[in-house]
Amino acid sequence: MRITVFRRLMTEEFGSLRAEMLAKDHVLTSLGGRTVDQALAAGVAVKDIWRAVCDDFEVPPERR
């Protein structure tokens, strides 16, 4: 998954403002206590980050 696709999915799921805020502030324990932005900077696979976000926010399977 490309980062642009990931960002689009985040915006579609949470809205642009909330998606940006979540990426910056929400800590994902399944990614070693990193935020989305920190995980991206650390080179974590984008698909793994999306899965972690979906798990934390209980995104329905049809939108994952």
Side-chain angles (χ1 to χ4, degrees), residues 31-58:
L31 297 178
R34 295 179 178 121
T35 66
V36 166
D37 290 342
Q38 290 169 336
L40 288 169
V44 176
V46 179
K47 188 181 260 187
D48 293 337
I49 298 170
W50 177 242
R51 286 183 187 139
V53 169
C54 289
D55 289 345
D56 268 23
F57 291 95
E58 299 177 354

Side-chain angles (χ1 to χ4, degrees), residues 2-64:
R2 295 179 180 265
I3 293 174
T4 53
V5 172
F6 170 77
R7 295 287 188 188
R8 179 180 50 79
L9 290 171
M10 287 283 289
T11 299
E12 288 173 0
E13 188 63 36
F14 303 107
S16 60
L17 183 60
R18 186 167 182 220
E20 185 179 326
M21 193 171 62
L22 290 175
K24 180 182 166 191
D25 298 329
H26 183 75
V27 174
L28 299 157
T29 56
S30 62
L31 297 178
R34 295 179 178 121
T35 66
V36 166
D37 290 342
Q38 290 169 336
L40 288 169
V44 176
V46 179
K47 188 181 260 187
D48 293 337
I49 298 170
W50 177 242
R51 286 183 187 139
V53 169
C54 289
D55 289 345
D56 268 23
F57 291 95
E58 299 177 354
V59 174
E62 62 272 7
R63 293 197 311 260
R64 288 181 179 224

